[in-house]
Amino acid sequence: MAARAPVKATTNLLQKFQKWYYNAAGFNKLGLVRDDTLYEDEDVREAVRRLPEKLYNDRMFRLKRALDLSMKHQILPKDMWTKFEQDERYLQPYLKEVICERMEKEEWNKK
């Protein structure tokens, strides 16, 4: 049983560091989530294009609000910040699909 304590302590420490880093990054203070901050290469653009309308509109609202706040040199009130626990990776399933399709096309083109 004593061997499990360090693993649990390490996991707890890692989670605390993740929360600290999430807050230190600052995008949550503008109401953004992690997937809103991805570099928009062709794969990300295609994944965004495939988003359902509701997710796409939510993303555009967050981005426009963040741009407006940034231009005004403001942040949201603390109760409106995106919390680490609430951050959902909404784009990841679409992005994985796009990447798999691209890799498959590249494999086919090699032959």
Side-chain angles (χ1 to χ4, degrees):
M1 298 260 179
R4 292 187 181 197
V7 173
K8 190 173 184 178
T10 303
T11 304
N12 192 21
L13 184 63
L14 180 61
Q15 189 175 27
K16 285 182 180 181
F17 177 74
Q18 287 174 333
K19 286 182 180 182
W20 172 84
Y21 187 79
Y22 185 86
N23 288 320
F27 60 83
N28 65 321
K29 297 172 185 172
L30 299 172
L32 297 173
V33 295
R34 280 181 286 186
D35 282 355
D36 294 336
T37 64
L38 292 175
Y39 176 75
E40 287 202 22
D41 59 7
E42 289 191 31
D43 291 338
V44 172
R45 274 190 229 106
E46 178 61 24
V48 168
R49 190 187 68 72
R50 294 181 184 191
L51 284 173
E53 187 176 1
K54 169 126 176 61
L55 287 176
Y56 179 80
N57 289 339
D58 290 346
R59 174 186 168 91
M60 288 299 116
F61 173 78
R62 288 190 304 270
L63 291 172
K64 287 179 180 180
R65 178 180 58 186
L67 181 60
D68 183 56
L69 288 167
S70 180
M71 294 291 287
K72 295 176 181 176
H73 299 282
Q74 297 176 349
I75 60 173
L76 290 171
K78 192 163 185 159
D79 62 328
M80 295 180 70
W81 292 2
T82 307
K83 292 166 186 55
F84 178 77
E85 296 80 14
Q86 295 171 332
D87 195 327
E88 185 179 324
R89 305 298 300 258
Y90 68 92
L91 193 60
Q92 293 307 307
Y94 302 97
L95 188 56
K96 286 178 185 176
E97 183 179 289
V98 168
I99 291 171
C100 286
E101 287 176 9
R102 181 179 47 80
M103 291 175 71
E104 188 175 329
K105 283 180 187 177
E106 289 172 0
E107 278 297 314
W108 276 100
N109 289 336
K110 284 182 182 177
K111 296 178 181 181

